[in-house]
Structures are given as structure tokens and as C-alpha cells.
Amino acid sequence: MSNATKSILLAGVGGQGILRASDILCLAFMATGLDVKKSEVHGMAQRGGCVTSHVRYGAKVYSPIAKKGDVDILLSFEKLETLRYLDYLKADGVVIINEEEIYPPSVNLGDAIYPGNIEVLTSRYFKKVKCVNAPDVARRAGNARAINTALLGALSNELMITDDVWNRVLKESFPQKTLEANLQAFNLGKLF
Amino acid sequence: MPVLMSGNEAIARGAYECGVRFGAGYPGTPSTEILEEFAKYEGVYAEWAPNEKVALEVGIGAAVAGAKVLVTMKHVGVNVAADPLFTASYTGTNGALVIISADDPSLHSSQNEQDNRNYAKFAKIPMLEPADSQEAKDFIKLAFEISEKFDTPVFVRPNTRVAHSKSLVTLSEPEPPEDKTAIRINAAKYVMVPINARARRVEVEKRMQQLREFVETFPENRMEINNPEVGIITAGIVYHYAKDVFPDYSYLKLGMVHPLPTGMIREFAARVKKIYCVEELDPFIEEQVRAMGIDVTGKEIFPYTHEFDPGVIERAVTGQTARPVDLPALTIPPRPPNLCPGCPHRGLFYVLGKLKAFVTGDIGCYTLSYMKPLEGLHSCICMGASVGMAHGMSKALKEKGKGKVVGVIGDSTFIHSGITPLLNLVYNKGDAVIVIADNRTTAMTGMQEHPATGFTLQGEKTRALDFTVLAAALGVENVRVIDPYDLKMTRTVMKEELEKPGPSVVISNRPCVLFKRFQTGAAKPLQIDPAKCIGCKMCLGLGCPPIAWKKFDDMPEDQIRKNAKKQDGHSFIDQDLCNGCTVCRQLCKVGAIGEEVSANE
Ligand SMILES: Cc1ncc(C[n+]2csc(CCOP(=O)(O)OP(=O)(O)O)c2C)c(N)n1
């Protein structure tokens, strides 16, 4: 009953550039001649809440959202958010985790504990788990906001999209002013 | 070359391509971007109206003058616009009128999850339901054709997933617009007094009959016969969810959900063995198919509530949940949305939360203040409800309510539907303090202009409404203006106004921190001096995202600075998030918060 559609779930916190990253990802799939759909929810979620974006691609994509247990790659922009969406992954799903921690209000107020060992826990259930210190990569690339391109770089290792296509799409997506840093962040992200 | 577009962008494009040059609406997730995108096209006139009722009336007027008009709103906006809607169904539209009702199953950004297909049936207006961005663009054109052909308003109903998903769209050459506007007086058609309306009422039923015939050959009602064992009747994006998990079943995909093509449904039923009606929210199609005497499976297995996804449908049909990995039950702290660092609402609601009053609230970013730790808002029903409720509450409580009833409403919401209830409060001698949380924009939906901002949707300068003058004109004698960054002033003014008998209006005046128009270089972020912090947690009471608590238990011994006996930690401000609004500094009794910290850090 499965079809060949693949799914990537991007998850994180409002303001981390997730929607931008998923737009770029879609353009890259389009450039390789595939059908692509993405879905996210705007609105309330932007005010520091959870943000997710589903990106699905293949010869012919129906639903823009994936069902639980059917996601190929979870690209998590924030450590804790990884846990929230693990149940979306397939058994052989790949997890890419940004090591950044953003405390939710209950943790800030000391009413809840930010779970420890998230990477270890995730590795217990999924074979391929990669951790990226994206803020560090972005800073080294010269633009602290390039977290999203750094993570796209790490993600690109899991996808069959050529460097050529990535370069073209990144060039279309950023103004001259920030392009260099974003290309750099992408390339550094690829080293993970 | 197809382009990647959201459903909302595609709706705007579709309207433009088929020669529509007039749009009106009121913002509301998930509909907002339609008019914002439409307004950017060459030669277009588009406006934000103060509310959906006005937007629709503007649309009806333009259509009666002969224009092709797009009116946009979210699902609950149709409640506000319902009065003109039902009678516009009688008058017909002359030009063409398409109304977008953007529904929000799962209440991603709404106060309820009503199924607006019911409005189509109730008001006797046809409704189309696109499944993706390409259909969003195509269906808009079809909707305008139907509106012109049948002289009726037409609904198009995207839901949140259609509006905000992106998929590939093939663009077409825009048709040149045609100016058909003129003054044409036709009292029998447009003056809905009983004698005329009775005649039009009959026309409505004739039109519905013609539409019932039309839908039987409407090409967007589509039958896909594959496996004849199982047939699925569905519409909109739910079709894609179902195709995802059951690509081989047979489908009757309805592009138009009102009226239904009964002949086609009968034919489908004859060609497949078992039928499922798969639809989010109400059993709208299902009940009508059952009424035709056709046996279907529907809401006995599919949920009534919240949006579907492929998994929901698969689970309902197969009874099985795909759980490829047996994950442990995890306790994950929730991450609710929060007011931004430096949000002007925070200081206001900090004060309101401490008043021991009932604060009737309203809808906007400030609604988030109901949560811990602010807890400064105690109700939220619909736009504008705060003012009427405050009045009703003060009347019911009588002496018990003296100085204890406050209504809070945002600037955009006040203009939307707070003015008439304020007039009522004065007229019927209520006793409540109404606070207008004026952050100079419609922040919740992404910074739309409104009549008090001084600008139109298309960026033209215009007259700005003055709330103090308006309140005075409505008969409010006590009108005060406060700066919500100044806690002392806010507290003092609120107490003074609550003590006075009769209505007061307090305008909480400070622009939204995210609003670029008012941004004047960021203030310096503040810090907490561990050498001074006594761990009283007063600053944490603001629930400001950069302010966090650091437990001594989690700190290395040599960094611990104990300044009070029972202190077990200290507060801490994340420099990257703080925008230096200084509200927390006003709460610190020991002066531990400042731009610099003492040198011995
Ligand atoms: C009838 C209706 N129309 C639209 C909306 C969507 N909506 C919710 S709040 C809001 C306006 C908020 O603006 P404002 O009152 O200025 O408060 P702010 O968010 O700026 O604090 C809108 C448009 C709605 N909930 N109901």
C-alpha cells in the first residue's frame, strides 16, 4: 500500500528559519524534476511555539503531510523538538539533530526539566543519528542566522541532489549580501 | 515551467488571471495572504475592511455595480458576514462575487472549528472545495464563471492545509479585465422588502435547481473507477490524504460540495461495492448520500473532530496503526506560543493579572496572557466579545462587581467589533474599564493595516482613527492613555479608573515590537547581576522568554553567589533574546537587573 513518495519532516521553534529551509528544499527537488509538496502551519505557532514543515517528494505526490511512522528523515532544528516528532519516523528513518537547546517556558520557570541525553535516547531507537552544532557552523560561516542552511548542508548528504542544483537554488534564495555566508554554512554543514 | 505556490498565492493568482481587479476582506488565519498577494498585482484595487460584514457589503456593492469581486475571510468571519450573505443570495450579484471561507480544522489558529459547508447549504449558495494549489487557482476561475452564469455569490472553501501548503502550479496568461460597471437601477432585484424578497426567494430555489443539473456534468466532479470493491466519496485535500494510503480504491472526488451531484453519486454507488464517505468535521456529504437511500460508512469510523491526515484515514479503515518503532512514553515539556520579548502586552497583563478583577478578554496576540504566569485574561469568545461581556458582567454583579470588571481588546479587534458594544456600555450605564491594547497593528495575523494605522492595504497614506476622540464621541467621560512599559503608571491608572463609577477607557499605547514601522534600533539587552540577585523570582512572573531560572544545584560550586538565606538559584537573561524593554527591571527590588553587571562576575 505504500507508494514511492518520500517524506522529510523539519521541526523546531518559531523564528529558526524552518519555513525558509523547507522552501529551499522544495526548490531543490523541483530542480531535479520531481513532484513536491510541503505543508506547514502559520499563525499562533510563530510566537515562539513549535513549528513543523512536512516536505514530500517523488514522481507523484498526493498528501502534503506525512502520516506517523512514514517519515524518512527528521531534520530537527532544536534538540527537545526531536523527541516530540520521533513517532513520525520509519524504522530505518534518519535523524539529524541541531545541538541547540531552546528552553520552553515551563523549563525557564523551573517547573519542568529539559530532558538530558536526547541524542543517546534517539540513537537507541534509530540507527542513523547525526548531531550538528548548527549555531557554531553558522557563526563560523559568518552569519549567526544561517543555522537553517547549515542544517540543509547536513541534510544534503542524505539526498540525491547534485551540488550544482544546491548552488543554483541557494543563489536564487538569498540576497547577495548574505549569500556567501549561507553557501559557506551549507558547505560546512555538509561535513557532518 | 510550473511554480511552487501556496494555496493562498494560487487563489490570488487565479483571481488575477481571470480578470478580477477588486478585492476586499478582513485578515484571519488561514485566509490572510490571499488579499495581501492579490493586492500586489498590477491594476488591482484591494482593501482591508474593518470587519467581514463590511468586507462582504463592499463586495456586494462592487458586484452590483458590475465588477468581478473577490472577498476573503476565515471561517468565523462568515459568522460576522452572515447577515448580508443570506440576503445577497436572494438579490444575486450582477457582476460576480466569490467569497473565500478559509476553514481551520484542528483550530490551528482559531477559537472554533465550525464546518462552513453548512453555510453553503443554509444560504443556498454553491461551494467549491480545492484540494491543492493548482485546484485553488483553477477553482477560483470556475467559481467566477458560475457566479456570472447563475447570478449568485459562490463560496470557495480552502482549509488550512490547502491555504498554507505549497505545491506545483502551472500559470496561465492573464485574461485582460473587462469593465462592465455601470449604474443600473433595479429595485425589484436589490430592494429586499417583503414583496420583492418573496419573489426573489422563488428565484433562489429555481437557481438551486439549475445548479443541481449543472453539477451533474461539472468536470471537477470526477469519478475514478479502479478497484470496484471499495469506493471513496470525498472532496478537497482529504482526497489526497486518502489517495496516499489507498491509491487503488475507486474515487468520487467532488470539486463542488454544494449542491451535490446526486445522479453521479447514484452511478458511483452502482459501480462500487462498499462506499466510504471520507470528510473532515461534519458528515455533510454523508448525511445527504444516506438521505438518498445509499448505504455508506462514514462517521461511525472517521472522527468528527480535528483535521485528518493519511494515517487517520488508514487507521479508521483498517483498524491498524502503523508503529514501526516501539518508542517509550516520553514526558516532553510543551512549547506553547508566548508573547515576544519586549511585547507591550506583557506589562499591561502583568498589572491586570494582579488586580483581582475579572478581565473579559478578546482575540489577538494578547489572548496568550491567559497562561501562566501572567494569567491576566479570563475569557475569550469571539472578536469584540470582551466589551459586551464586561458590561453584562458588571450589570449582573451589581455592587459585587464594583471596581472588579475590566474588558481588554486589541486595536484591530476594537475596530472590528468593539465600538458598538462600547456605545452600549455608555448608553446602558454600565460600570467597567475597557482597555484598548493599542499596538498600532493587527499583530496576530502578521501586521495588517487597519483604520487606525494611517495606511491602507495597498500602502497609501490615509486618515487614522483617533481612539481618544472616538471614545469621547461615544460618551465615555474618562479616557486615559498609558504606556504599558511603565508598570507604575499602568497600575496607578487602572486602580484610579476602577474606582470611578461608570465606564472608562484606557488606551495602552505602545507599538508591537515586531512592527518595522516603529522600530528605532534595538535597546541594549539587560543582564542580571548574580552578585545582587536574591532569587525572589519576581522577574520570572513576567513569563518573558529570555528570563530563565538557574538552580544552584546545577551550577559549579565556585559560581554560586548566595545573597539571601533561602536562595536556591538566580535568574538569568539570555542576551540574544532580550530587547531591553526594561519591564523586568521595574520589578526587581534589589536592582540586580541592568545594562551592565558588577565587575566581580
Ligand atoms: C471574526 C474573526 N475574524 C478574524 C479573526 C482572526 N483574528 C484573530 S485576532 C485578530 C486581530 C488581532 O489584532 P489586534 O486586536 O490588534 O491584536 P494584536 O494581535 O495586535 O495584539 C484577527 C484578525 C477572528 N478570530 N475572528
Side-chain angles (χ1 to χ4, degrees):
Chain A
M1 266 194 314
S2 79
N3 65 43
T5 300
K6 299 250 185 210
S7 310
I8 300 172
L9 179 59
L10 296 85
V13 179
Q16 286 192 303
I18 293 167
L19 307 187
R20 187 72 173 282
S22 65
D23 271 339
I24 295 171
L25 189 54
C26 285
L27 292 177
F29 286 125
M30 270 174 78
T32 56
L34 291 170
D35 188 17
V36 62
K37 285 186 179 175
K38 73 159 203 162
S39 184
E40 65 232 0
V41 171
H42 308 200
M44 282 292 241
Q46 283 176 335
R47 307 274 176 264
C50 313
V51 172
T52 60
S53 180
H54 295 238
V55 173
R56 308 194 74 216
Y57 62 100
K60 162 88 186 141
V61 180
Y62 290 107
S63 170
I65 41 177
K67 64 177 180 183
K68 287 186 177 172
D70 200 32
V71 164
D72 297 277
I73 306 171
L74 172 61
L75 182 62
S76 174
F77 282 59
E78 200 276 345
K79 241 177 167 175
L80 173 64
E81 293 310 301
T82 316
L83 299 183
R84 218 184 291 284
Y85 302 100
L86 282 181
D87 59 346
Y88 270 91
L89 280 162
K90 285 181 175 157
D92 60 351
V94 174
V95 192
I96 301 173
I97 305 176
N98 176 12
E99 284 167 1
E100 191 175 2
E101 293 183 357
I102 302 173
Y103 286 1
S106 55
V107 173
N108 262 345
L109 298 175
D111 296 340
I113 294 167
Y114 193 98
N117 294 326
I118 289 172
E119 304 90 325
V120 179
L121 183 88
T122 307
S123 302
R124 214 175 287 155
Y125 295 92
F126 297 93
K127 265 203 240 92
K128 194 161 182 189
V129 178
K130 276 204 229 175
C131 296
V132 182
N133 188 338
D136 178 56
V137 172
R139 261 190 299 274
R140 279 192 284 134
N143 183 343
R145 304 197 50 169
I147 290 174
N148 52 1
T149 30
L151 289 168
L152 282 178
L155 173 69
S156 71
N157 293 326
E158 310 300 323
L159 304 171
M160 307 286 265
I161 298 174
T162 62
D163 284 356
D164 222 37
V165 166
W166 279 115
N167 274 325
R168 196 148 34 94
V169 167
L170 288 167
K171 275 185 193 144
E172 281 166 22
S173 304
F174 292 98
Q176 205 52 43
K177 219 172 69 192
T178 59
L179 177 63
E180 209 38 57
N182 276 292
L183 286 172
Q184 178 74 357
F186 183 86
N187 288 327
L188 289 172
K190 266 205 315 203
L191 302 177
F192 285 87
Chain B
M1 250 289 273
V3 293
L4 189 68
M5 272 190 163
S6 70
N8 283 347
E9 289 166 333
I11 288 172
R13 173 77 196 183
Y16 179 71
E17 280 183 6
C18 72
V20 181
R21 293 295 180 270
F22 198 109
Y26 181 74
T29 315
S31 72
T32 313
E33 300 84 1
I34 301 171
L35 211 58
E36 290 178 327
E37 289 301 319
F38 180 67
K40 292 178 194 161
Y41 284 105
E42 184 67 34
V44 152
Y45 174 76
E47 67 172 43
W48 287 132
N51 67 33
E52 293 85 354
K53 177 177 186 285
V54 177
L56 181 53
E57 288 157 351
V58 168
I60 295 169
V64 169
K68 283 169 98 165
V69 186
L70 179 70
V71 175
T72 68
M73 59 194 69
K74 69 182 288 170
H75 62 337
V76 287
V78 181
N79 301 337
V80 178
D83 205 7
L85 175 76
F86 279 75
T87 308
S89 169
Y90 284 27
T91 62
T93 50
N94 187 28
L97 178 63
V98 171
I99 304 161
I100 307 292
S101 160
D103 284 20
D104 190 20
S106 275
L107 306 91
H108 292 288
S109 315
S110 302
Q111 67 269 34
N112 79 25
E113 111 174 317
Q114 65 190 47
D115 185 334
N116 274 12
R117 292 178 299 175
N118 295 301
Y119 267 117
K121 196 157 174 246
F122 198 3
K124 299 173 187 282
I125 290 173
M127 178 181 267
L128 305 182
E129 197 166 318
D132 53 34
S133 300
Q134 181 69 53
E135 285 194 359
K137 187 177 82 103
D138 296 344
F139 283 21
I140 283 297
K141 296 185 181 184
L142 294 170
F144 275 101
E145 281 171 22
I146 294 167
S147 178
E148 279 182 320
K149 183 164 177 195
F150 294 93
D151 189 30
T152 175
V154 177
F155 270 125
V156 175
R157 175 185 182 251
N159 69 5
T160 301
R161 289 291 171 185
V162 173
H164 284 169
S165 291
K166 289 191 177 177
S167 56
L168 301 185
V169 177
T170 307
L171 303 184
S172 320
E173 214 27 64
E175 292 162 28
E178 224 182 301
D179 184 4
K180 292 187 187 164
T181 56
I183 291 188
R184 299 179 195 91
I185 290 170
N186 184 347
K189 191 158 182 274
Y190 298 115
V191 183
M192 287 300 94
V193 291
I195 186 164
N196 291 338
R198 258 178 232 126
R200 293 299 306 173
R201 173 76 186 84
V202 176
E203 290 302 312
V204 171
E205 292 306 325
K206 275 195 207 150
R207 186 181 72 212
M208 280 312 297
Q209 190 46 43
Q210 288 162 2
L211 281 161
R212 274 184 214 109
E213 285 155 26
F214 170 81
V215 292
E216 296 294 349
T217 55
F218 180 57
E220 292 299 339
N221 288 334
R222 203 171 69 219
M223 221 182 298
E224 296 169 18
I225 303 292
N226 302 311
N227 176 355
E229 290 298 313
V230 182
I232 290 181
I233 303 179
T234 188
I237 197 163
V238 178
Y239 164 77
H240 287 308
Y241 298 158
K243 277 294 263 195
D244 216 73
V245 283
F246 301 119
D248 302 325
Y249 287 171
S250 296
Y251 284 84
L252 175 57
K253 182 194 175 286
L254 300 171
M256 195 183 296
V257 290
H258 186 70
L260 292 179
T262 49
M264 217 171 172
I265 291 169
R266 278 188 211 288
E267 188 194 332
F268 186 67
R271 292 174 70 176
V272 297
K273 271 207 191 118
K274 181 175 174 65
I275 300 183
Y276 291 98
C277 265
V278 191
E279 52 191 327
E280 287 171 334
L281 308 181
D282 295 343
F284 182 81
I285 299 171
E286 179 185 335
E287 282 177 356
Q288 296 181 66
V289 175
R290 275 191 210 281
M292 292 165 61
I294 296 169
D295 188 28
V296 296
T297 303
K299 290 295 170 187
E300 61 268 47
I301 61 165
F302 298 106
Y304 279 89
T305 55
H306 307 340
E307 68 174 351
F308 289 3
D309 67 20
V312 169
I313 297 169
E314 183 175 53
R315 203 153 52 239
V317 172
T318 65
Q320 278 158 14
T321 318
R323 270 184 68 106
V325 183
D326 203 14
L327 292 165
L330 300 165
T331 17
I332 307 170
R335 195 184 293 278
N338 190 0
L339 299 176
C340 304
C343 174
H345 297 320
R346 183 172 280 106
L348 171 67
F349 282 91
Y350 181 81
V351 170
L352 296 182
K354 304 253 181 266
L355 285 178
K356 299 194 170 68
F358 193 104
V359 180
T360 60
D362 226 297
I363 310 190
C365 288
Y366 49 95
T367 315
L368 297 172
S369 315
Y370 88 90
M371 282 185 292
K372 268 184 194 318
L374 291 173
E375 297 179 292
L377 179 145
H378 310 125
S379 71
C380 165
I381 305 284
C382 68
M383 290 189 75
S386 59
V387 185
M389 280 179 68
H391 173 64
M393 206 170 258
S394 80
K395 283 284 175 191
L397 287 168
K398 295 186 191 126
E399 275 306 307
K400 280 177 277 179
K402 274 235 160 315
K404 294 254 171 291
V405 182
V406 178
V408 189
I409 185 163
D411 45 343
S412 187
T413 305
F414 177 69
I415 292 164
H416 180 282
S417 46
I419 301 171
T420 10
L422 181 58
L423 179 62
N424 181 54
L425 179 72
V426 175
Y427 169 57
N428 283 309
K429 303 182 179 181
D431 181 9
V433 178
I434 302 303
V435 182
I436 302 175
D438 183 9
N439 60 359
R440 318 278 186 83
T441 183
T442 318
M444 168 105 256
T445 42
M447 314 294 165
Q448 287 73 33
E449 306 293 354
H450 61 59
T453 66
F455 290 89
T456 69
L457 165 59
Q458 292 185 301
E460 270 179 55
K461 257 189 160 343
T462 183
R463 227 186 137 92
L465 171 68
D466 182 331
F467 290 125
T468 51
V469 174
L470 174 68
L474 292 175
V476 181
E477 280 167 25
N478 306 306
V479 181
R480 308 279 295 270
V481 180
I482 56 164
D483 177 359
Y485 273 6
D486 184 340
L487 291 179
K488 199 168 154 203
M489 175 207 262
T490 304
R491 201 178 297 121
T492 310
V493 169
M494 282 310 299
K495 288 209 163 130
E496 284 172 9
E497 293 310 314
L498 280 166
E499 267 165 26
K500 289 181 195 163
S504 300
V505 165
V506 174
I507 297 158
S508 175
N509 179 24
R510 177 60 82 163
C512 169
V513 275
L514 299 184
F515 194 18
K516 296 225 165 61
R517 183 174 300 151
F518 293 98
Q519 268 170 7
T520 50
K524 236 180 147 179
L526 299 179
Q527 304 187 47
I528 290 178
D529 191 344
K532 290 185 186 158
C533 177
I534 55 166
C536 71
K537 297 191 177 177
M538 279 297 279
C539 53
L540 290 173
L542 287 167
C544 191
I547 310 180
W549 181 245
K550 265 194 179 171
K551 271 200 205 106
F552 286 158
D553 287 354
D554 303 334
M555 287 163 59
E557 201 67 45
D558 59 329
Q559 275 184 26
I560 294 174
R561 291 223 164 56
K562 213 166 166 168
N563 303 310
K565 244 195 188 153
K566 284 189 182 150
Q567 187 176 357
D568 60 352
H570 71 78
S571 299
F572 164 82
I573 295 178
D574 183 336
Q575 299 287 290
D576 294 337
L577 294 178
C578 175
N579 81 337
C581 79
T582 77
V583 170
C584 61
R585 183 152 78 180
Q586 297 165 43
L587 288 178
C588 185
K589 293 200 174 81
V590 293
I593 303 179
E595 286 176 11
E596 316 285 338
V597 299
S598 40
N600 60 348
E601 231 275 87

